[in-house]
């Protein structure tokens, strides 16, 4: 099964485990605005389009903050004040509750998994934990697309990973995740970022965020 199909399958499993009506995956590229990569139904696609066009909503807040935004009752006075353009349009699209979980690799925000439901009400603790597990799966699959390298590129990526591990004081696994996350956020191939690290033209800091070294 291809990486893309695995991501789609993970989103569909998330709908079942969380007891929601649909899921939608947004991935952030070099522009920082994000783009829809998969939606389990048309409503998810419409909600993502509203986020992108209006520049507000639970999804926008989650992408900006890197923290989950869980909205059990979308059509409330508080939420209409918070997102005056998004809420009425999202309700008209059929959403009554929205739960957005960001995908983060270190300080780098890769995207978000947004769930919607046609009725209001919170997720259970078990459902939230299940979604967190699946967001890690989706994050890993998305980043793996960046590291499908030819053999002659792997050595330099491995060398850069080792250098970052020492520089940041993290494990090799975490260093590779930081390398892939930086590449994704800046819309660059991982091998190019690795080359810059090895050549000492790029140094990642522990608190680096998208758009910053």
């Amino acid at each position: 099964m291809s990486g893309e199909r695995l991501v789609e399958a993970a989103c569909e499993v998330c709908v079942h485990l969380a007891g929601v009506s649909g899921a939608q995956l947004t991935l952030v590229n070099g522009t920082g605005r994000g783009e829809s990569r998969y939606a389990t139904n048309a409503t998810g696609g419409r909600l993502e389009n509203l986020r992108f066009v209006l520049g507000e909503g639970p999804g926008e807040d989650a992408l900006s903050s890197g923290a989950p935004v869980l909205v059990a009752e979308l059509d409330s006075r508080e939420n209409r004040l918070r997102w005056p353009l998004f809420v009425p349009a999202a309700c008209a699209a059929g959403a009554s509750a929205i739960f957005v979980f960001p995908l983060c690799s270190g300080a780098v925000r890769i995207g978000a998994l947004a769930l919607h439901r046609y009725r209001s009400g919170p997720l259970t603790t078990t459902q939230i934990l299940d979604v967190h597990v699946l967001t890690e799966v989706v994050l890993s699959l998305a980043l793996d697309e960046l590291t499908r390298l030819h053999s002659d590129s792997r050595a330099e990526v491995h060398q850069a990973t080792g250098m970052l591990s020492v520089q940041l004081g993290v494990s090799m696994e975490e260093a590779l995740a930081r390398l892939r996350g930086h590449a994704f956020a800046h819309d660059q191939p991982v091998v190019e970022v690795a080359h810059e690290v090895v050549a000492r033209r790029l140094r990642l800091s522990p608190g680096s965020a998208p758009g910053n070294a």
Side-chain angles (χ1 to χ4, degrees):
M1 186 179 291
S2 68
E4 182 178 355
R5 183 68 191 103
L6 286 172
V7 169
E8 293 175 2
C11 290
E12 289 161 3
V13 169
C14 196
V15 171
H16 174 70
L17 291 179
V20 294
S21 304
Q24 188 276 327
L25 174 66
T26 293
L27 296 180
V28 176
N29 54 24
T31 67
R33 291 291 294 125
E35 60 181 20
S36 178
R37 289 299 179 90
Y38 179 69
T40 61
N41 59 27
T43 301
R46 285 195 290 270
L47 293 174
E48 166 57 16
N49 186 61
L50 288 173
R51 177 205 69 81
F52 185 87
V53 172
L54 300 177
E56 65 177 40
E60 190 73 6
D61 284 9
L63 286 171
S64 299
S65 68
V69 178
L70 310 180
V71 183
E73 186 179 353
L74 184 61
D75 193 16
S76 68
R77 182 176 183 276
E78 177 185 357
N79 290 328
R80 282 182 174 270
L81 291 174
R82 184 178 182 182
W83 304 303
L85 299 176
F86 179 86
V87 169
C91 289
S96 294
I98 296 178
F99 313 100
V100 188
F101 297 81
L103 307 177
C104 299
S105 176
V108 178
R109 292 160 203 153
I110 302 301
L113 182 64
L115 313 179
H116 64 270
R117 198 162 54 197
Y118 299 139
R119 59 178 177 81
S120 59
L123 297 176
T124 67
T125 300
T126 299
Q127 288 170 335
I128 291 174
L129 292 174
D130 286 341
V131 175
H132 276 300
V133 171
L134 282 168
T135 57
E136 290 299 316
V137 172
V138 172
L139 173 63
S140 178
L141 290 171
L143 291 177
D144 279 347
E145 293 294 314
L146 295 172
T147 50
R148 293 183 177 180
L149 307 171
H150 297 296
S151 58
D152 58 351
S153 302
R154 291 174 184 158
E156 192 162 40
V157 171
H158 183 75
Q159 184 180 356
T161 299
M163 292 174 64
L164 287 176
S165 177
V166 173
Q167 291 171 8
L168 302 176
V170 298
S171 67
M172 291 287 285
E173 292 78 9
E174 174 65 15
L176 178 58
R178 298 286 185 91
L179 185 72
R180 295 189 303 180
H182 184 90
F184 196 102
H186 292 78
D187 201 20
Q188 293 177 276
V190 166
V191 66
E192 289 185 7
V193 176
H195 183 73
E196 292 297 300
V197 170
V198 171
R200 302 184 186 279
R201 290 191 291 267
L202 174 65
R203 185 183 179 93
L204 305 186
S205 63
S208 60
N212 298 310

